Amino acid sequence: MEGIPEAATQLRERRRILVFTGAGISTESGIPDFRGPQGVWQTVDPDEFTLDRYLRYPETRRRSWQMRMNTGSLDAEPNPAHRAVVDLWRTGRMIGCVTQNIDGLHQKAGVPEDKVFELHGNMQWAVCLSCRSRFPMPEVLQRIRDGVEVPDCPDCEGILKPDAVFFGEALPQKTLGEAIRRAQNCDLMIVIGSTLVIYPAAYVPTYATDAGAKLAIVNLTPTPFDQHAAVVIRGKAGEIMSKVMAEVRLS
Ligand code: NAD
C-alpha cells in the first residue's frame, strides 16, 4: 500500500516520536466514531449535546446517558492499531501518546498510563458537577439498566456527567499543557484516525510542525493537515499500522 515504506522509514529514523490519535483508531474495536463515514453525527445532531444543554435540560441528560449505554466502549478490546502503538512504544523512540479518545484502549493495550495524555477525558468514570466525586461508569450504567433514567450523584444529588469533555467545556489544562510540550519536543508526529478538525485538540499537531517536526497521517478520509504531512496513508488504521510496524521490525 502506498506510503507504508515511507512511514516505516520515518518511524525508524526519528528519535522522539509523538503519537496523536482520534476516534478512528478505535472503530475497529467496535466503537463508532462521530465524524467518519459511519459516524454517530450522521444520525444525531451534535448541537444537542453541548454542556450548556446538558446542564439545563433533563431530556438532554437522558438522551446523553442513553447514547452512552449504546456505545459499548467499556467492554471494547484494543485492536491491531492500538497494539502497533505499543510495539512503537517498545522501540524506546516514542515520547508519548496524545489522544482525543475517551475509551482507555491505549492503556488497556499496554502504553503506560503516565504516557497517555487524554485531551477529552475518560468515559470509564462519571463525575458529579456539584461535589466533584467520581464514580466508576459500570456502577452508573447499572443504575440505568435498573430503571433510573437520569442518574444523579449518590452523595449529594448533584448532576452526574460522564467524565469526558463535552462541547462548550474546557479541556483539562494540565494534560493539554503536557501534550503541547511534547508536541514542541517531538521530531515526528504520527496522527492515527483523526479528522483533525476539533479544536483546541487539533492545535497540538501545529505545535509539532511549527517546531520543525515531520508529520505522518494515517486516516480513512482526508484531513486539512494532509498538505503539510511528509506521509499520508488513506485506509484502515489496524491494517496499515500492523504493516508499518512489521516493516519497522524487519529493518
Ligand atoms: P475525529 O474527528 O477524530 O474523526 C475520526 C476519523 O477517523 C474520521 O476522519 C474517520 O474517517 C477516521 N476513521 C474511522 N475509522 C477509521 C479506521 N478504521 N482507520 C483509520 N481512520 C478511521 O473524531 P470524531 O469521530 O469526530 O469524534 C470527536 C470526539 O468525540 C473525539 O475527539 C473524542 O473525544 C470523542 N469520541 C471518542 C471515541 C472513542 O473514545 N473511541 C469515539 C467517538 C468519539
Side-chain angles (χ1 to χ4, degrees):
M1 187 182 282
E2 213 176 317
I4 287 178
E6 292 83 350
T9 303
Q10 291 289 341
L11 291 178
R12 260 193 316 267
E13 290 181 352
R14 306 286 154 184
R15 291 287 168 270
R16 299 187 313 280
I17 301 165
L18 188 61
V19 174
F20 182 93
T21 64
I25 195 172
S26 295
T27 54
E28 290 163 75
S29 292
I31 306 173
D33 61 11
F34 287 170
R35 286 180 173 72
Q38 314 288 327
V40 172
W41 296 153
Q42 304 287 342
T43 50
V44 174
D45 179 0
D47 288 342
E48 263 198 70
F49 296 99
T50 60
L51 180 65
D52 183 48
R53 292 186 67 92
Y54 191 86
L55 294 175
R56 277 209 258 165
Y57 305 118
E59 177 57 16
T60 302
R61 297 203 282 281
R62 191 189 67 76
R63 283 178 51 102
S64 180
W65 283 111
Q66 217 49 57
M67 255 175 73
R68 182 68 205 79
M69 288 288 284
N70 296 333
T71 54
S73 66
L74 289 180
D75 308 322
E77 291 297 328
N79 67 52
H82 297 102
R83 288 195 283 277
V85 173
V86 177
D87 281 354
L88 184 60
W89 170 253
R90 291 190 180 130
T91 65
R93 299 197 296 272
M94 184 176 138
I95 60 171
C97 177
V98 177
T99 187
Q100 300 168 90
N101 293 347
I102 50 186
D103 55 30
L105 289 182
H106 287 297
Q107 298 91 318
K108 203 168 181 181
V111 180
E113 297 266 343
D114 64 342
K115 295 295 182 287
V116 180
F117 302 96
E118 294 175 314
L119 296 179
H120 293 163
N122 190 315
M123 271 288 186
Q124 315 287 328
W125 294 89
V127 63
C128 171
L129 297 178
S130 301
C131 70
R132 305 308 298 181
S133 293
R134 286 172 97 223
F135 304 92
M137 187 57 84
E139 281 179 16
V140 181
L141 296 187
Q142 188 54 49
R143 285 170 62 198
I144 297 174
R145 266 183 235 108
D146 291 344
V148 176
E149 287 211 316
V150 183
D152 59 7
C153 174
D155 293 346
C156 77
E157 297 178 5
I159 292 178
L160 210 55
K161 176 184 148 304
D163 200 8
V165 174
F166 276 33
F167 292 113
E169 194 175 0
L171 267 55
Q173 290 306 295
K174 193 164 163 258
T175 308
L176 180 62
E178 281 288 340
I180 290 172
R181 261 191 298 285
R182 278 177 165 70
Q184 288 170 325
N185 237 309
C186 73
D187 57 7
L188 171 68
M189 174 172 281
I190 177 161
V191 174
I192 309 170
S194 179
T195 317
L196 296 175
V197 295
I198 305 169
Y199 287 87
Y203 283 124
V204 175
T206 65
Y207 282 99
T209 50
D210 286 354
K214 298 276 187 204
L215 188 62
I217 298 178
V218 176
N219 202 52
L220 210 52
T221 50
T223 86
F225 284 64
D226 289 359
Q227 56 188 316
H228 306 295
V231 189
V232 176
I233 311 179
R234 289 259 162 80
K236 289 193 160 186
E239 188 186 327
I240 292 167
M241 287 309 297
S242 304
K243 288 184 178 158
V244 169
M245 287 314 294
E247 282 215 20
V248 170
R249 273 192 301 270
L250 271 180
S251 52

